[in-house]
Amino acid sequence: MNAGELLANTLSPDQRTREDATQKLERACRENFPAYMHTLSSELVNESSPPHVRNAAGLALKNALTAKDINRQLDYSNRWLALDPEHRNKIKQDALMSLGSPVKQIGTVAAQVVQAIAMVELPHNQWPQLIEILLGFVNRENTNLRVATLQAIGFICETIKPEILAARSNEILTAVIHGARKEEPSPEVQLAAIHALSNSLEFVQDNFEREGERNYIMQVVCEATQSASVPVQVGAFECLVKIMTLYYEKMGFYMERALFGHSEEAIALQAIDFWSTVCDIEIEITYENLEAQEFGESPEQENKYFSKIALPEIAPVLFELLLRQDEDADEDDWNVSKAASTALASLAQAVNDAVVPISVPFIEANIRSPDWHRREASVMTFGSILDGPDPSVLTPLVNQALPILIDMMTDSHFAVRDTVAWTLGRICDLLVSTIQPDVHLQPLVTALVNGLQDQPRIIANCAWALQNLAEQLSYTEDNQPLAPNPLSPYYDGVVQALLRTTETATGEGNYRTHAYESIGAYITNAPPDQIHVVQNTAVTILQRLEHMISVQNQIIGIDDRNEWNDLVTHFCAALINVIRKLSDGIQPLADRIMTLLLQLIQSAGKTSTIVEDAFLVVSAMINALEQNFSPYLNAFLPFLYTALRTHEEAELCNVAIGIIGDISRSLGEQSAQYSAGFMSVLFENLQSDILNRNVKISILSCFGDIALAIGPLFEPFLSTAMTVLRQAGTIQANPLDQELSEYVTALREGILEAYTGIVAGLKNTDKVNLVLPYVPDILELIQRSLADTERQEAVVRICYGLLGDLAETFRNGQIKELLLAEWIATELRQKGRMSADTRKNLRYARENVKLATA
């Protein structure tokens, strides 16, 4: 079989044919890399070969040169650079030739190949003539060649460090801007140039610093937003969004024209996205500046208030765009009216009170309109501006609007009812203080409960609004339970209505999920006089779960199985809420719950998500019953050990490890009888090549839970645990590998938690001196963690706490010399920005180190 047939077969609809072809290509790549690359490039440049085969050849070439994983990329780069220069030149020549292919798709994939080779060679000072060649191509008359070349330039600028191309940056920018000008006769070339500019915006940072060059770049992009070509306009707005994100502080001069009012949907969407980006940036700046002020620091960035200045121009256009609803659109469809409502919500947060006077006339003029489009847009405007302005400004408006909105829950058009339900949900969430229980609550709850019998989207919003009522109306402003709770008279009726909704639910609109989440909120926030509602709900859920277990053998199709899994997940989540609410009051139902859970785990087999759900309920039971959970342990432990050994199911394994921690914390010293078995399986899991590395972090942290629970009885496991923790602590982050850096941070947090549990478990016992030989290792990890330039506050907080624990544990000078290290003194003088909890741990460390070194 020749290369063309193999490449064609990688695109076959038949899975077996596709996999066979892919495996043969991979084998060819391994066995004879030079010949493999030579064959692919010959296929790419061959104009008589079918386009889909040539495209597959180009993608295979690119994939042989690039990888997401940093180590694999290094291997690929070295493999390419080890090729004979003649071989490499042939492949590079073929890729450059293919840029000018009459088939546009081939030009694009060739641009990707050129970029992939450049990414390997340019950092090694190879292929120095590439940029000159590409700049030459940009000035040719062949449109396809110019488009593909501009794409290649954009890809290169996006992926290669600016300093590597610094000497040619002005020439590159000139070529790109030349293609993006309004005078460019080819829209395809102009669009490619705009995309190339967008990709190279970080690369041309120095040019943006120079006012004259910046003015010209902005002129070209702004003129492109007025192009006769819709794709060029869309590309120009996308470019402006990125410019605003990168160079916000430089944009004052260019914000005079409102970039809005387009009839073309794609252009209007990008224009809205531009202003949404402006608002989001200014919201972030405001937040950061307030935070800086709180800590007595100078603001890092000045807010230019572009959104507030442009408000009189933006808001009316957004109101008009809200009227372009599509009543046939799916809930997930993104269109102009949805984008406009999102932008209006961002605008309200950016300009605060100023959005109210400009919005109220539109709301008042349209809320009673005979045209449903206008009624819906009016309510959408009201709902969108509820987050941002001061509540005192909004309160009179909400008081005036609530009776009207409640009445509109019976509007003749479903889109209006849907938006009204969403707006009522926003009021219940953001401005619950405006709801006067004696005036509004009865008609509001009635309207929302009636809405549970409407269309799926409306049911979901009504359930969400009822959920917000339960969460926001049950507590005072200082988070104290309201007594009496104004919702008490409605509690049973609301929960019964929600339970009925879950019974009649279909998959459409996902409203069953919202209904169960709402039930969860009523359980969690139930006042003392409504505990009977929680108990009755528990019995209902248990009856439903018993029924589901009894019918599971009758399930035949995959849809029925998914439906069964979905319902069981909801039941388990509801049970967890009940158990947490009733705490040890769940005892009368404990036998029934545990019998059901063990049946569920046993029958679920390899359906790990169901076992996982059941385990989470078991976890809640352990924490609620504490030592009273003991009677169920012997029946449950075989299932726990099975889950712990299911290494390929990372989530299930992680939950199972969490349950070991729950058992240890809840049973305390009584858990010692199980600790040998627990530690044995945890050590075994650390050796697994299959188990996800993040799950192993949970194992290390679990050492601390077990040690804290059993104290001196942890001695048999101490040496092995400390060796494992020390070895894990030596893993270093790589600043170039974001994923590894995040893993190392999480790993250190887990190790530090383990050390904290072990020190606390042995503190004030006759075995405390067993920790002494390990103190240098512990302090070394603390030092390394605190010295990390990317250190996370959670890690810093644990470090301070652990440092304080060590000092308090060995207060009689045993580790005095170690605690007198300069790095500790420097760290304890920290005065930077930190949370109250971190500051408290720092104070604790400071005081105890002082006493231990006196």
Side-chain angles (χ1 to χ4, degrees), residues 390-392 395 429-435 471-483:
D390 192 285
S392 63
T395 296
D429 183 28
L430 300 166
L431 294 159
V432 76
S433 59
T434 61
I435 297 171
E471 290 172 349
Q472 303 298 335
L473 205 57
S474 299
Y475 298 92
T476 61
E477 284 184 11
D478 56 354
N479 218 25
Q480 296 302 310
L482 265 180

Side-chain angles (χ1 to χ4, degrees), residues 219-230:
Q219 178 189 331
V220 168
V221 179
C222 288
E223 284 174 353
T225 66
Q226 312 300 315
S227 166
S229 162
V230 170

Side-chain angles (χ1 to χ4, degrees), residues 406-423:
I406 291 168
D407 189 49
M408 288 177 79
M409 279 296 291
T410 57
D411 192 277
S412 58
H413 200 281
F414 82 91
V416 178
R417 298 196 302 278
D418 185 28
T419 303
V420 170
W422 172 76
T423 301

Side-chain angles (χ1 to χ4, degrees), residues 120-129 164:
V120 175
E121 294 212 352
L122 293 182
H124 290 88
N125 296 318
Q126 302 205 28
W127 211 5
Q129 68 276 36
I164 292 170

Side-chain angles (χ1 to χ4, degrees), residues 547-565:
H547 173 70
M548 293 306 286
I549 291 172
S550 72
V551 301
Q552 71 166 326
N553 291 330
Q554 300 165 28
I555 295 168
I556 300 169
I558 188 72
D559 290 342
D560 288 346
R561 171 56 64 185
N562 289 339
E563 175 83 355
W564 189 89
N565 289 346

Side-chain angles (χ1 to χ4, degrees), residues 756-767:
T756 301
I758 291 167
V759 171
L762 295 174
K763 183 178 167 184
N764 299 327
T765 73
D766 58 356
K767 301 287 186 181

Side-chain angles (χ1 to χ4, degrees), residues 88 142 144 342 359 432 642 784 802 809 824:
R88 280 193 279 147
N142 180 337
N144 284 4
T342 303
S359 303
V432 76
T642 299
R784 198 178 308 126
L802 181 52
T809 303
I824 294 179

Side-chain angles (χ1 to χ4, degrees), residues 153 199 426 472 577 581 658 688 701 723 765 777 797 847 852:
I153 289 171
N199 284 339
R426 296 261 290 173
Q472 303 298 335
N577 286 320
K581 183 67 183 178
S688 169
S701 182
T723 301
T765 73
D777 290 336
R797 184 162 53 248
E847 288 164 6

